[in-house]
Amino acid sequence: MKPPLILALPKGRILEACLPLLEAVNIVPEPSFFDKRTRLLRFKTNDPLLDIIRVRSFDVATFVAFGTASMGICGSDVLMEFDYPDIYAPLDLKLGKCRLCVASLANDNKAPEDSSRWSQIRVATKYPNITKQFFARKGVQADIVHLHGAMELAPVMKLSNLIVDLVDTGSTLRANGLQEIETIVDISSRLIINRTALKTQSSRINTIIDRFKKLNLLSTFSARD
Ligand code: PRP
């Protein structure tokens, strides 16, 4: 029997948003997948030829780029940050909609809304490549502080002047005394495929892509969650 295809899914809130979508394309994970206490990371599904792994959102792209997972669901923020040539992203799933923003302290007079007036700036982010490119296009040399979470603390604790982070409702910014200055790009989740796997296992993978495509055309899942 052929080894199962691997579908990589991101932990956290995107995973919650993915669940109705999986159900609608008839991918039914084994019960332990839904057990919040489980330490398992790989799960069987109702299809003996399809397994699921659950990893950090940034790692979904890495597993798929290396072909360890044939397919995945991944935010367009992560795809932009890595720009892996081996990843094919045929489908916007319209899940996990949010935006990648620049933010500062709400009362920071040194962070004018007209960011073209910045000369040099220190920015905390988990998106060093996108951030560097964004500021470089404005002629600003950004010193990057690479963090992996709790970005909002950085301006408050004077680790940086600004942050670049995902914003959805804006409540995390507000709760920490920050304000949005500028949107870099709108974000949503994509179905991603390893290009080599698409060639070598085209029939199996295209069958699954088509199931997602049919849903997408119906625009059933247009909200974040
Ligand atoms: C993201 C992001 C912000 C928050 C924004 O973090 O990094 O902190 O969501 O959402 P809001 O605008 O609705 O408040 P997430 O909760 O995904 O966790 P993370 O820090 O592990 O990325």
Side-chain angles (χ1 to χ4, degrees):
M1 190 166 119
K2 289 179 188 165
L5 292 177
I6 307 290
L7 172 67
L9 296 179
K11 289 178 178 178
R13 53 172 120 178
I14 305 288
L15 184 62
E16 296 295 317
C18 285
L19 296 179
L21 189 67
L22 290 182
E23 195 181 335
V25 295
N26 193 29
I27 295 175
V28 182
E30 62 178 307
S32 58
F33 178 81
F34 300 98
D35 179 357
K36 290 198 164 46
R37 294 162 306 168
T38 186
R39 304 302 295 166
L40 285 173
L41 298 169
R42 178 170 173 162
F43 306 90
K44 298 194 176 308
T45 71
N46 56 330
D47 180 348
L49 292 178
L50 183 69
D51 283 2
I52 289 173
I53 58 170
R54 197 162 59 191
V55 297
R56 285 173 186 262
S57 62
F58 275 67
D59 296 339
V60 168
T62 307
F63 272 88
V64 174
F66 282 84
T68 311
S70 309
M71 332 177 60
I73 292 180
C74 181
S76 51
D77 52 327
V78 176
L79 297 178
M80 267 180 81
E81 177 63 21
F82 288 130
D83 199 20
Y84 282 122
D86 295 324
I87 290 181
Y88 169 55
L91 207 52
D92 183 350
L93 298 171
K94 298 175 183 165
L95 290 173
K97 284 185 176 181
C98 56
R99 52 201 186 277
L100 189 64
C101 290
V102 184
S104 71
L105 284 175
N107 55 1
D108 186 359
N109 298 326
K110 289 182 194 138
E113 287 181 20
D114 177 8
S115 51
S116 61
R117 284 157 56 200
W118 298 331
S119 55
Q120 191 170 9
I121 211 91
R122 195 192 286 166
V123 189
T125 187
K126 55 180 163 185
Y127 304 94
N129 294 324
I130 296 174
T131 301
K132 259 186 240 161
Q133 287 162 17
F134 173 77
F135 283 99
R137 280 198 300 274
K138 293 176 177 292
V140 175
Q141 190 197 328
D143 290 336
I144 307 295
V145 181
H146 192 175
L147 296 180
H148 298 276
M151 229 71 57
E152 292 83 1
L153 280 176
V156 178
M157 304 191 78
K158 302 195 187 315
L159 180 59
S160 71
N161 314 87
L162 302 175
I163 62 169
V164 165
D165 197 13
L166 297 179
V167 178
D168 178 19
T169 60
S171 55
T172 310
L173 289 183
R174 283 192 296 278
N176 290 285
L178 304 185
Q179 65 183 352
E180 244 177 285
I181 297 178
E182 189 169 347
T183 296
I184 298 179
V185 65
D186 288 322
I187 303 296
S188 60
S189 293
R190 310 294 159 97
L191 182 67
I192 61 169
I193 315 287
N194 175 273
R195 288 185 189 279
T196 306
L198 185 58
K199 284 185 197 141
T200 56
Q201 301 169 85
S202 62
S203 159
R204 291 164 72 196
I205 291 179
N206 275 314
T207 304
I208 295 175
I209 294 175
D210 286 346
R211 276 149 64 181
F212 279 96
K213 271 189 180 159
K214 277 180 192 153
L215 292 179
N216 197 51
L217 288 173
L218 293 171
S219 297
T220 312
F221 300 94
S222 56
R224 172 177 169 154
D225 47 19

